[in-house]
Structure formats: structure tokens, C-alpha cells
Amino acid sequence: IMADDKDVLRDVWFGRIPACFTLNQDEVTEREAEPYYLLLPRVSYLTLVTDKVKKHFHKAMRAEDAEEMWFEYEGTPLKWHNPIGVLFDLHASNTVLPWSITVHFKNFPERELLHCPSNSVIEAHFMSGIKEADALKHKSQVVNDMQKKDHKQLWMGLQNDKFDQFWAINRKLMEYPTDEGGFRYIPFRIYQTTSDRPFIQKLFRPTSPEGTAHTLGDLLREMYPVALPTDGEPKRYQVVIQGIEPLPETPLQWLSEHLSHPDNFLHICVTPVPSD
Amino acid sequence: MPVSLLWAVDVYGRVYSLSTAGQVWEQCRDAQMEFKRVTAAQQCCWGIACDNNIYLNIHASDLPVRYQEETYENQRWNPVDGFSERLLPSDRWQWSDVTGLQHQPLDNFRLPSISWEWEGDWHADENFEGEPTEKGGWTYSMDFPATYTKDKKWNSCVRRRRWLRYRRYKAMDTWAKVIPPQQTMLPDPFSDISCGGWEISDEPSGRLSLWAVSLQGKMWFREGINHHNPEGSLWEEVPLPAEVVQISCGPGDLIWAVLWEGQFIVREGISRDCPKGTSWAVVDSPSPDVAATHVAVGMNVVWALTKDNKVWFRRGVNSHNPCGSGWINMVGEMIMLNVGLNDQVLAISCEDRAVYFRQGVTSSELSGKTWRSVVSDVESDTDKGSLDGASHLVASISPISPESFVDAPTDHSEEPIDTPKARIPKVTSDSFISELVSDREPGKTTREDGLSGPAVLEEEPIPGEEEVEAPSAGVAISSSQSGRPIDPQWSNVDLEEAQGQTGAVVDSADTCSLSSVATYTLAIEDQYGADEHPLWAWVSGGGCSVDSHSQLNWFNCSMNASCDLSVTPAQTAAWRKQIFEQLSERTKREMDNFRHYEQSVWVKKGTMQWWRDWKPHKWIDVHFALEQFSGPEGNKDGILFIYYNFYEEKKYLHAFINEVTILVPVLNDSKHSFAIYTPERTKQRWPIRLAAATELEMHDWLALLSDSCCNSRGIQGPPSKQAAWSVTCKGDIFVCEPSPSLEAMPYPTPCDQMFWRQVGGHLRVVECNSVGIVWGIGYDHTAWVHTGGYGGGFSQGLASSTDNLYTQVDVKSVYIYENQRWNPVSGYTNRGLPTDRYMWSDASGLHECTKTNMKPPSPQWTWVSEWAIDYSISGGTDREGWQYAADFPASYHGYKTLKDFVRRRRWARKSKLTSTGPWQEIPPISLIDVTILPCAAQSSVDVVPLWAISNKGDVLCRLGVTTLTPAGFSWLHVGTDQPFKSISVGAASQVWAIAKDGSAFYRGSVSPQSPAGPGAKMYCWYHIPSPGKQKLKQVSVGRTSVYTVDENGNLWYRHGVTPSYPQGSSWEHISNNVRKVSAGPLDQVWIIADKVQGSQSLSCGTVCHRLGVQPVEPKGQSWDYGIGGGWDHITVRGNSMEPPRLPSLTAPAPPSPLPVRNMEVNGNAVGC
């Protein structure tokens, strides 16, 4: 039996990355801090799901020594405003699990990270993502037609890890007129480790003017041609979405509907193939 | 949402229906005639056929259409003969109506039409005012007319008895001709028809307004249509300001019609007392130069078309302003429009004659968003009585009788007969009608012209087809087969009329395109070819229950992603397969080995309000936390904390999750609140009451806490077959897994320790049996069957089954009272005495309730109607809904007397709640009670007796109920002479029931083989006298025990019930203050107690368990008190687990005195 497309949505939603949080050695502690193990939801945000981590390490520290918590992986500060899955796929996709994350409580890297004083900051960031995506998909028509409580439900669904609650509203954002074959533009972001640019984001339609469906390959050819393998040469880049590598012939509209993060963007990570 | 039908007629006059659950148009094979137009209601569909007669198709229902005829036999006593038929000359007729004024012998009663049949013979009614009479059903009096009693006295000089006979409408699911009126004032045939008006009044049940327009532009209203008289009684002409071409009647009080001149007229003055309305107002065409051609109205909307096929939406239409305020031009070019239920809009497009559905019509956006094309697929089954080609030639849907083509093939050369129908050419030359029925194509028209008229066409042999078609031609009944009507059943157009029209047709054929419909029949076979789409002429959504939330499969491709779900190349494509494989690898790699990471202490915090424990009680802000951890046996457990400030000091209150017995949403019109009980709190009648800031937050917490409670007790999955079910007065549904010792003697599990978990959905009544069949009834009387799932409602997938959950909608009315006092100067006014109640109040008069300040019962409910006078209040009302009394508060009556100084009337407004739960609707009959045989079935295919009472009081027996098919498949109607209200079937198939008048009945000879008893005849009911003149209201029958509850809250036990004398001998009083009783298969007895003895304020809705019930002591001894207040219903009929017996213990526990509980307001947390 062929699996249902709805199962893809569930798999995407319930994806978890095992992580081991260890306290940075330079932090001043009163007693030894044990590492803390946690399953991180791929589609959520670091600062949204690490209350327990903070509490765990606070126990080992004096209150005055603990400033705003931030995370780092192999020297790279982890940007909480990117979905956890994107951080992992971009920086750690070839690591041994669990993903080892270092926890810091001082020397906040002001130039690299945004502050996150409360969950309302995450909410605002998340909602602005949804609105931007809908501006691309439907000229903001769907998101503007929603009631405030629908917006709240999207956020609460994410915050409380409620798939049904989230999708009851999100499915409206995934609708499109039948005769148009897809959204107006596909909301996507392409991340890379080899550049200082945060990401590539341009206007790209799901179908060609002739009406044929655009594929992931079409998008990359336009946006980031080196990511595509050339005939006869070994593959140099991995193109990872939600921890998997879809084939280049996968239709972009389908990817946007099924592999987007809750912020409605298709986050695409391009990383070099590991050399070994 | 139950399955309902969209009706349509194609340009050949074939009638089709499209089910809300289907995706293919099905041809109505029964229509032996071609139809011009149809108009649907939920229970039936009306149509005008080509013979110009009106046909009615009543959808078969398990509830028969049945009419009770009655007549009275009157006798007088004389010393010689005793009582005899010899009456005094001044007396009434020997057979008369109830008043005695009308002579009514038995053989005067005739069936009204061939669609009816008698159900049995006349019989005497042996019941009188809820009491059984002596043999023969005679009631006695001193003289006519006077008060009758069932007992003969010394001065009883006259007697009478009532005779009954039932007739039944038999022509279900077929197009039956509505007998043309004997009246001679219908000179011309009908050209348009529209039904509606069912929302105007519930009384009498099934009332409809049917409007028709004749070819001459006259308008007619059908009087007297209701459930018992579905055909109506007579046509009444409605005066018009000008000639009408088309009419549309909405479900409520909107009626618009289009005039020949191109304006609209709008009916005014429609009310419950006057569904026909009183006058017309004129509304101009939307566009000054273009005439209006068509109108379609709904509950609150008016859509229209103009001659240029533009679509218009009327702004500002409602009951108070039926004319509306302005026109808005909408997208699309349509040829016909129809507004269905819920103001949903259907249209037939000008371009391709496809049916379009208006997407996105909601109560807040009545104009909708876009037009979506409805499937064009027509069922491809070719052998279902297809119509032959020849008949298609006359399958014209022109508004002119096809007989005219047939009867007089050469008449076209004659002069039109000079009759009053000389005006018809004007009718037929109207371009609207001709556009409606034809898309004349020049080439084909030429061909038609070349064949010199349709009558010749009909006889033109089609080479090569004649032989093929011959067999079916012999079968299909067609009025045109042999060139004249051959089926007397279907043809009744008299010659004069036909000829008159023939002239008209020929006339018009020369001048306009009217008959060009026939051009289609030349080109197309009786079924549409594979790539051909049906060409629609008319559509009616009046019976089609869809709204903006409905999941329809009508569209060729859906708007959302599920579009891809049909098997397409995409589904089997390599890229897709690869994504599935990679995702499953990802799960293995990233998750499977790390699941143990989750097992740690887990805290969820939030802020809430708490109804504080100390006085003065009020809501205070608190911090709330749930700490969960893995218990010693690996099961999850938790503690909940409430942190509050007590005089600046920080304190907290806590409860162990494994001690929580229930989390129950509380009825509150402003706060989102719920109560938490533990056994201790149940004893105190003082739950922890909390309120969340938003509904979403409350549901989040409830879902989380409920999941946590179930985890701590190791309860998961669907309810067991033994489970007890209960319902709060808020409609929330709870289920409890009984412990094996729940019914143990002498130490049963205390009632307050029972753990109840919520099941999604909203019900008023739930009943079950021990094989796991569970039925429910909503506040709107909809019947529901449990799907075997669990969760839903607030649980948002957290502890829910993945399937078996459906949307459930319930509707209930909110009532307020308008009170007035009489004064000599101005009569009744809204100025009361200073001591009077509020002039707008609740039923008690103690609280002010106005139309504006009244809110729906809780934030989950939304208003779905406006305030309307409620005429169905007990005691009756006058025509304006008033009830009169000497003073407040008193007993009210529906007529004014000299002693009445106050009056009141009740206003009702409907509110709607939408939830999800493991319930599936069982349409279409509404129920007020249901009962299921409590004992175990032998196998999953054994039929389980299930009885119910419809909301009209009919007794019904469900056929085909098994554990595999708990919904059964149809109702069997069981005859009774009076309406019933409660029913219960015991473990030995004994059936007891309570009539609406409060009397009890026992039904003999019920066996599993014939669940409804022999012949389902009314004689099987044995009338059981009520206890001490009390009116009974509910009955529950266990294994052998029979318990009833009366209207004054007394619980009665039936004494002397034995297998040889199952009726029992007498009633014994057990308890007072009882609202409901449930007797189970172990003869266990549970009740909902309204008051606990000695208390005033702990007033209602506590679950109680009868202790000490055993075979030698079936009545039990005392009550144990469980969850409540605020409970409305319980059933323990699933629990057939024999408790462990302790043979050494013989001395029963001493009857515990009824505890006097803490009388705080919180005792009724749920809020009744």
C-alpha cells in the first residue's frame, strides 16, 4: 500500500533530533553539571523547547552567573530563529548522534545571534514568516482573511506540538486555485555554509509559463546551479530538506505543500558532500 | 452531516440527483415522464412534468406518513335497552366528530388519493386521558356535551367512545401525480414551481409552502401541506399586480418573483399565521435597460439574473427588510440560479450549461468567493431502464406540453383555436424562457425547420436505430410512444387544453426558438457519451444540506493538496517513493534509538484563575503547573500545583494526578472554566475550579491533564463494552471503566472514586449495552452512534483515536420571557408593578434577560438565528404567543380570561456548537429516547433489539443492529394510539414505555426473532395504571427490575414482576428528588438525584448508586453519592460483570443516612 501524503506531513511534524546539551567549560558552576539529553522537534525553535535545559543547568550555577542562554555547535553559534531541523541539516547533518550542543550563559555573541527574551519574540518571528510566505503564495489573501484566533492557533499548535491543531488552520494556507496549478510564488530559502549570505530567496513560480510543473532541479538551476551534479562528475553538494535529499525531479509545488516548515517556507540546505 | 441530494433536470427533461456523499449524477429512473422543473425540500421533491401535472416524490423514510382518522360513537341509556344507539331527537348523530356537530359514520371515510392505503380496520380507543378504560373504551357522562369520565356512575345517561383508523401514504420514492384539482379555475398549465417556508413554523410538522406560476402568469399557493398531508389540499390563487414568469420561495419568509415586464415583486407580511403573506412590493431590475429574468432566494439572500445573463446579489436582505437595499454585480454568466439550504448557491452557466457551486458562502460572507464547476459525470450504467430515442424527441423541457407535439401532428397548419389561452403566444415568445430551454444553433435549427415542426420530428425514423431501440421502447413507458398518450396513469391533459396549446406551440415555433430543444435530441443518444457533458436546465438545492464546511467530492479537482491523492502518475513516481523511503530512514536514524530521552520530569506552567476556597469566594489569578514524571512501575504520574497569594504570602495547593477522578468543563457564559474533582473534593462537593484566559488555553490544559490522568491510571484506547456513560447538563460526555467490585456486596467500590474521562462530542442522552453498542441523542434530537473511537473534542489528537472521529454539530434554543401587566388605561403594557419581575426575564423572573444582553450558553456556542416568538411552550399560547395568568408567578394558559392581569410570552433563539467526537449521525429521524437490549449477543452478527422514540412520539424499532453494524440500517415503525416519550427494553426483551400523557405501557410478546412483537400492531401495548395519579416521565428496565420516574421526581419500583406475570402488580415508592434512572443487566440501579435530602442548594444532578441490591432485596437499601452536581444522564446498562461474591457475608450494611452536604454554591460546579 502506498503511503498517504498526509503521512509525510506527520513525519515532517514529528521529526525529532536527539541532542546532548553540555555546559560550556568556561561557565562558573557550583557543582558539576551533568549533560542533558533531549529530543528536539525538527520544526520547532531552540529557545522554545529548551526550558528544561535552562532549568537543568541553572541548578548547577549561581543565579547571578547565568545570563541569557545561547547554544553553539563546533564553534558556530546556533541561530534560534532558524528551525532546529535547518540548523542540524546545515551544520551537523553528518555528525554522530546525539547532536552535541554546547550551552553558554555568558558572552552572548551579539553580532551573530538575536536576543530571545521571551516566547513572544519567537511567536512574532514565526508569524512574520507565515505572513511573508502567504504574501508570496496568495498575495497575503489567506492570512489576512484569517481571524486572530486562527493565527493564535497556528502558534499554539507549534508551541504545544499539536499537529491537528496546527494543520486545521494551516491547510487553508496550502490551498490554491485549481486552474493555476499551484501558489503564486513558492516561498523558499536556500541556506549554504560556504557563503556569508544568510540565505537565497527570490521569486519563483511553481509552473513554467507553458504550464509545466517546476521541479526542485529547475529551482536550483536558476538559484544555485553548482548544487546540481554535473554529468560524469562525483556529486559535490547535498541538497537537504527536512533531513532528506529529494530527487531533482520532485515537483516544487508538492515539496512546498509537504516539506515546508510550519512557517510555510521550504528551507533548503546545501552542504558540501563530506570528503571522506 | 447526513447524506442529502441535489436535484437537477437536464435539457431532455431527465431528472438526476447528486448525493452530498457522491461524485456522480444518478438518473432518477422512476421518472417515467420528462420533467421541466423540480423544486426540492429535505423530505421530498416536487416537479412539473411534461404533462403539466405536478408530481411529488416523497423520500422513503423509516417513519411512515400516517394519518389518524377518528370518529365518535355516541349512545344514550334508556331503561329498556340500557345503553343503545337510540338517541334523543335533540341529541347528536350516532356517529360524529368530537364536537358532535358533524355526522361521521365509518363508511364516510375515503382515501384521499390512490397514493394512500388503509393500515388496518377501525378499532375503539381503549385509553382515556392516560388511563385504561373498561372494555370497549366507553367514557360516560350525564349528558352531551359534558365532561366524560372512564367510570360509569349512577347518573351516567350517555356514553361515547372514540374509533380510530390509520391511513398510510404508500407512494414513497416514486413520482406520484398530485391529483389535479377538481376546481375549474386552473385554466392553464403550470410553468414554474417553488417550495420552501419550512422554517416559518414547526407546527404542524413537515409544513411546507408550495408556490406555482402558470403559463398565463398567474400565481397559486398550495394549502395544507404537512407531514400527515404531504400532497396538500387545494390550490389558492394569489392576487398579483402583474403577470409573473418565475417565483422563488426560500426556507424562511423570503419570496421573490419575476414579472414579465422584468421587475421583481417581493412578498410581504409572511408570518407563522399567514405563510402566504399579504401584499407585494416591487423592486426594479438591477440594470435599468435590461430586464430581470430569474430570481433565487434563500434564508437571508437574494440572487438574480438579468436578460444579459449577468449575476446579481442583493444587499441587505433579511426578514425585516425582504426587499434589501441594493444590487451587486457578481462574476459569471448564468442561465439559472438556485439557493439551497444554508444559503448555498447553485447555478447553471450560460457557456457550457454545467452546474456551478458557489464556494465560500458563509453566514458572514453570504456572497461567497468563487464559482466551482460541479462534476459532470453521469452514472454510466446503461441498463437501468434507459429511455429510448423516440421518447427523447419529446423530452423537451419547454414549458409547453409535449402532448401538444404529439396529439395533433397536423394541427400546426390550423388556426390557433380561439380560446382564453390566446395570450399564450406572448408567454412563449418570451426570450427568457426560450433561452432557458435552448441554445439554438443555427445549423440544427435549419434542420429542424426543414423537418417542419417537432411533431414530424418525432415520427422521423432514425435509420439503424429503430431495431436496436425496439426492446427498450416496448418497456419504457412514454406518453409519446405511439403518437398519443398511452398510459392513462400519466396522461390527463384533456383534448381541449392540448389543442389550445398546440396552436400556441406552432405559433411560437415560427417566431422563436422555443421548441429548439429538440435539436439536442437529434444529436445525442439516451446516455451522454464518454466525453459529453450533461446540459443542465434546472437545479434545486432545497433538499441539499451543505455548508462551507462540508467535504464534498463534487468537484473535478479539489482546491487543496488532497488533489494529488487520487492515483496519478505522481503517486507512483520515483521521486515520491524516494521521499517516503528517506523519511522512514530518517526516523530510524534520528529517533528510534533515542526515545528514552523523553522520560524525565516534565513541567508545564501557565497562569489561570482559581475560584478561591475561602470567603468571599471570587476568581483570583494563580500560577498553575503540572509536573509529570515516570512512576515506579514505569507509568507516568504527576502532580498539579496551584500557586496563589494569601495575604501577600505565597502558598500553593496541590493534587496528585492519580487521585483526580474527573476534569469537567463548566457551563459559564463568559469564563472558560473547568472543575477538578478528587474523591475528597467530591465528598466536600467543592471541586477545584479554574478558568483559563482563552478557550484554546483551556482545551490545551484539559487535553494535557486528561492525558496525564489516563496515563497515571493506565487507561488508554476506546471505552470498554462494560463502561458506564454519563452526560452533564452542559452536554459533555463522560465514560467510566467500572471496577470489578463496583456492584459487589456488601462493599462496592465507593461511587466517588470512579474515574470519568471525557469523550468528544455533545449529547443530551447516551445509552449503551454490554456488547458495546452505544447510541446518543443530541439537544437537537439528532441520533448518533458511537464509532468505537475515543477522544476528539478538546483533546486535539493528544489522546484520540486516529480515525472514527467526526464533526458533530448540536443546536439548542435559549429562551427568554417577555412579561406584561394589564392596567385599565392602556391594557397590557411593559410597565409592571414595582414588585413585579423584570419585564424581560428568565423563566423564574428573577434575572433580567433581554434580547441584547443574552449570550449563548457558553463561548463555544454561537447564535444561528434571530430571536423569535416560541409558540410551543406548554400550556399553549394565543396567536401572538402570549400566555395569560392572574399574577406572576402562576400557571399560564393560552387564552385570556377576565381574571388575567399578567401575560408573558417566550422568545427563543437558536445557538449552535460544533465539536468533534467518535459519533456518526443516523439520519434522518430525530429522537427523544433510545434503549438497547442490555444483555450480551452471542456473536457479532446477532441482531440486537434497539428501540427508540421519535421526537414526534412515534415508537421505532431499529433493524439490523449488530456489534459489527451498530448503526443498523432502517427503522421499523411500531403503531401506537398516542405519542410516547420514554422507552426501555429489559434483558429478557421485555419492553416498557411511557406515553406523553404520563401513562405506562408494557408490551407483550417481544422476542429476539420478532423484535417489534407480532405484527407491530397497537394491540400489543398493555396499559399499566400510573402510581398514585402521578404522571410518569421515564422508565428503565434491567434484568427483571422495572423502575420509573414521575414528573414530580419520585422513583418507583414495579412490584410483582414474574416471568408468568411480566406486567407486575403495583408500584412502590423508593425515593424522591430523582431526575433519571438507569437499571442495568445486573439489576443494578443508578440515578441522577436532583436534591440530596435535607438540602436546598445542592439541588441538581448528582450520580447516585443504589446499595444493597440483591436477588432477595431487588429494591436495595440506600444511596451512595458520586460525581455531581450538574449531571443530567447516566447509563450503566453496559456493565454486566458479575461482581466477586463473598458468600460468608450475609448481613447487609446498615443503611447509611443521607448525608447532608456542604451547601456551597460550588456544589453545582457544572452550572445547572
Side-chain angles (χ1 to χ4, degrees), chain B residues 1103-1144:
Chain B
V1103 170
C1104 305
H1105 179 203
R1106 191 73 178 164
L1107 299 180
V1109 174
Q1110 48 183 324
V1112 293
E1113 182 92 39
K1115 294 173 299 184
Q1117 285 157 341
S1118 61
W1119 295 106
D1120 181 30
Y1121 293 80
I1123 195 67
W1127 256 251
D1128 218 17
H1129 184 89
I1130 184 166
T1131 178
V1132 296
R1133 293 166 64 83
N1135 186 9
S1136 60
M1137 269 189 301
E1138 292 285 347
R1141 294 273 169 198
L1142 298 173
S1144 62

Side-chain angles (χ1 to χ4, degrees), chain A residues 128-143:
Chain A
S128 75
I130 287 207
K131 286 171 187 165
E132 185 179 351
D134 199 54
L136 295 166
K137 282 153 81 164
H138 309 109
K139 296 184 183 170
S140 301
Q141 272 166 5
V142 180
V143 79

